[in-house]
C-alpha cells in the first residue's frame, strides 16, 4: 500500500520558516511526482510545488517562488518543502500528494481544477501551517 506521511507544520510568525516533510512508502519515485497542495479556509485547493515524475524538475506557483524550495531524498523516500519568509496568506492545511502526471501539467502551465485535484493518485493527511501577522 502507498502511504504519504506529512509532518512539519506549526505556528510561526510572519517572516519565519518551516520545513515540511513527506515520507512516502510503497511508491516508485521514478514514476510518481510528489508535491504539496494547500487549502486555506474558504478557498479552493492550490498546487504549491512539486518535484519528479517524468524528470527531477520542479514547479512552484508564482506566489511562493523565491521563498519555497522543494527537494527529495530518494534514500529516505522523503520530499521536503522548505518554506521561508512565510506570510499570513500562506496559512493553510498542506497536503502531500503523489501523481504520475500532475507535476508535468503544472510545469506546462495548466491550471488544475478542483475536479483534477480530487482525482490525484494519492493523498496524505494534511499538516496545518499557521502564519501569524
Amino acid at each position: 500500500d502507498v502511504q504519504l506521511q506529512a509532518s512539519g507544520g506549526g505556528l510561526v510568525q510572519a517572516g519565519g520558516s518551516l520545513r515540511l516533510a513527506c515520507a512516502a512508502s510503497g511508491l516508485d519515485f521514478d514514476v510518481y511526482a510528489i508535491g504539496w497542495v494547500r487549502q486555506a479556509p474558504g478557498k479552493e485547493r492550490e498546487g504549491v510545488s512539486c518535484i519528479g515524475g517524468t524528470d527531477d524538475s520542479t514547479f512552484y506557483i508564482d506566489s511562493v517562488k523565491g521563498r519555497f524550495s522543494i527537494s527529495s531524498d530518494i534514500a529516505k523516500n522523503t520530499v521536503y518543502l522548505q518554506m521561508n519568509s512565510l506570510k499570513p496568506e500562506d496559512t493553510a492545511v498542506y497536503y502531500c500528494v503523489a501523481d504520475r502526471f500532475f507535476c508535468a501539467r503544472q510545469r506546462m502551465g495548466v491550471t488544475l481544477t478542483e475536479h483534477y485535484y480530487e482525482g490525484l493518485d494519492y493523498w496524505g493527511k494534511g499538516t496545518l501551517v499557521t502564519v501569524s501577522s
Side-chain angles (χ1 to χ4, degrees):
D1 288 351
V2 173
Q3 290 190 348
L4 302 174
Q5 183 65 47
S7 62
L11 173 63
V12 65
Q13 288 187 330
S17 298
L18 285 172
R19 188 176 79 157
L20 305 183
C22 175
S25 60
L27 201 65
D28 186 344
F29 274 49
D30 288 333
V31 175
Y32 288 88
I34 306 288
W36 297 90
V37 174
R38 69 185 179 187
Q39 187 163 28
K43 295 189 176 180
E44 292 190 343
R45 294 166 181 163
E46 182 177 50
V48 176
S49 180
C50 55
I51 186 170
T54 55
D55 56 41
D56 288 335
S57 57
T58 59
F59 166 82
Y60 302 93
I61 53 171
D62 287 345
S63 61
V64 307
K65 285 180 179 177
R67 300 189 297 121
F68 290 12
S69 177
I70 193 168
S71 61
S72 62
D73 184 335
I74 302 300
K76 296 182 178 180
N77 289 337
T78 300
V79 170
Y80 301 97
L81 184 68
Q82 178 67 44
M83 305 187 296
N84 299 326
S85 302
L86 282 161
K87 303 176 180 180
E89 51 264 43
D90 294 318
T91 295
V93 177
Y94 285 69
Y95 297 90
C96 177
V97 299
D99 189 85
R100 289 158 290 170
F101 306 116
F102 85 113
C103 199
R105 290 180 186 270
Q106 289 187 289
R107 289 195 291 259
M108 285 169 23
V110 175
T111 300
L112 303 184
T113 63
E114 277 289 308
H115 178 73
Y116 192 94
Y117 284 123
E118 290 173 3
L120 293 179
D121 292 329
Y122 300 102
W123 283 79
K125 292 184 179 179
T127 184
L128 176 62
V129 172
T130 304
V131 185
S132 63
S133 58

